[in-house]
Amino acid sequence: MIWLTRLKGQRFVLNAEMIEIVEALPDTTITLFNGKKYIVQESVEEVVRRVIEYKRQAYPVLDLLKYIPREGEG
């Protein structure tokens, strides 16, 4: 879940797992898998940053994958 701000200033929490598309139209528009759209004050880059941070916290095991040797590595 990530905190975002509607254009009129109301803060809300969005389920980051449901995001399908984030676009600048020119306002940042988030489309969910169910077709629902949200227009927010945050930039596309900020939404992406928040989603990445959320995923790092929600799925910390993914950070461990960088320590697993890959085929052909010593």
Side-chain angles (χ1 to χ4, degrees), residues 15-72:
N15 182 347
E17 301 292 341
M18 293 294 294
I19 296 174
E20 181 176 16
I21 300 170
V22 181
E23 305 171 278
L25 298 176
D27 294 320
T28 304
T29 303
I30 301 169
T31 305
L32 304 185
F33 283 108
N34 64 8
K36 186 160 175 106
K37 294 181 184 271
Y38 293 89
I39 300 173
V40 299
Q41 291 181 6
E42 290 79 8
S43 68
V44 170
E45 294 80 11
E46 179 62 18
V47 173
V48 170
R49 187 192 68 72
R50 290 181 188 188
V51 169
I52 291 169
E53 182 58 31
Y54 157 75
K55 297 242 182 199
R56 282 190 180 136
Q57 291 178 8
Y59 306 104
V61 71
L62 295 179
D63 278 339
L64 297 176
L65 294 178
K66 63 185 170 190
Y67 298 110
I68 297 174
R70 296 187 180 142
E71 189 174 324

